[in-house]
Amino acid sequence: MSAKKATTTAKKTTTKKAASKKKEITRDVIISAYMDYVLENERTPKSVYKFAKEHGMTESEFYKFFGSFEGLQKDIWTTFFDHSMKLAHKNPEYPHSSNQEKMLTFFYTFFEMLTANRSYVLFSLKEHNDMMKNMVQLKGLRKHVKEFAGELIQDKNDEKSFKILKQPVSVFSEGAWLQTLFILKYWMEDNSPSFEKTDVVIEKSVRAIFDVFETTPLESVLDFGKFLWKEKMN
């Protein structure tokens, strides 16, 4: 074999190996690359083309998973939620826990997830001077938190005998979301070691949600009425 042919063959072999070694582009790979870019450059990417090229992917590979950087930002928060729920369900005691304990487990796990990505989270929530612009990315998270809280509340409603005692799911699920925002703001400003003060706030907040749900004056009145009726009949 001539030197020229040997060189050509070597180049082809190298090209094939390089192609075979190309990293598979997945949703998680893109999310990781985006978060790293933001933290290293302290700004969001200017264009999908440049971002994709710098990370060894094509624009079409990016758009296969996300329609824009804005969509990617929202999906990051959904991913935080999904991973938190998966971790919570891995706990063998989770299925047998009370609804209050399930919500506590979720919040503890969710904020552990945020703490592991604190630098990115703080950047993303403070990127714009306009708070509403920063909050847009939480739209998907809001939907998931409300659905989760709604399921817990509906489950509790099913245990109640009287329809009049059942609580409006939409009201309490919205309350759970507002509590999430309150805890999030507190966590962002928490300077305590291991964010232990945030853990206390989580516990008190979740307890407050369920205290409001459980302690209904109307239910107490009806119970008292049933007691008086029984006493009279006896």
Side-chain angles (χ1 to χ4, degrees), residues 12-161:
K12 287 181 178 179
T13 302
T14 303
T15 302
K16 286 181 180 179
K17 285 183 178 179
S20 64
K21 287 182 178 179
K22 184 185 176 184
K23 182 169 61 177
E24 181 185 0
I25 303 302
T26 65
R27 175 177 166 275
D28 288 343
V29 165
I30 296 175
I31 287 177
S32 180
Y34 176 83
M35 291 174 68
D36 286 343
Y37 181 97
V38 166
L39 294 175
E40 290 171 4
N41 295 277
E42 298 182 340
R43 64 175 179 81
T44 55
K46 297 297 183 184
S47 72
V48 171
Y49 172 78
K50 290 186 69 175
F51 171 78
K53 187 176 181 180
E54 288 175 10
H55 291 87
M57 68 183 84
T58 63
E59 280 190 273
S60 60
E61 286 176 317
F62 177 93
Y63 288 126
K64 180 181 177 182
F65 299 96
F66 306 104
S68 64
F69 287 131
E70 289 74 17
L72 192 159
Q73 290 169 348
K74 292 177 184 176
D75 207 69
I76 288 174
W77 286 93
T78 299
T79 300
F80 288 155
F81 176 87
D82 290 340
H83 285 344
S84 298
M85 290 303 295
K86 286 177 183 177
L87 288 172
H89 280 85
K90 282 184 178 180
N91 185 337
E93 296 180 3
Y94 184 84
H96 312 292
S97 301
S98 67
N99 289 345
Q100 183 171 336
E101 289 169 340
K102 285 179 179 179
M103 183 166 278
L104 265 176
T105 299
F106 163 70
F107 273 124
Y108 284 140
T109 308
F110 180 69
F111 279 92
E112 282 179 9
M113 186 75 62
L114 295 192
T115 297
N117 297 277
R118 186 173 173 85
S119 294
Y120 171 79
V121 172
L122 292 181
F123 173 87
S124 66
L125 293 176
K126 295 179 179 179
E127 181 184 1
H128 305 290
N129 293 326
D130 185 347
M131 184 183 69
M132 295 308 295
K133 284 186 178 180
N134 294 324
M135 297 293 285
V136 168
Q137 63 191 296
L138 303 181
K139 186 176 181 179
L141 175 66
R142 176 176 179 270
K143 176 176 177 289
H144 287 296
V145 169
K146 288 185 65 176
E147 286 177 350
F148 169 62
E151 288 171 4
L152 296 182
I153 293 161
Q154 186 59 57
D155 183 51
K156 201 66 181 174
N157 270 342
D158 292 340
E159 297 176 5
K160 297 188 176 184
S161 303

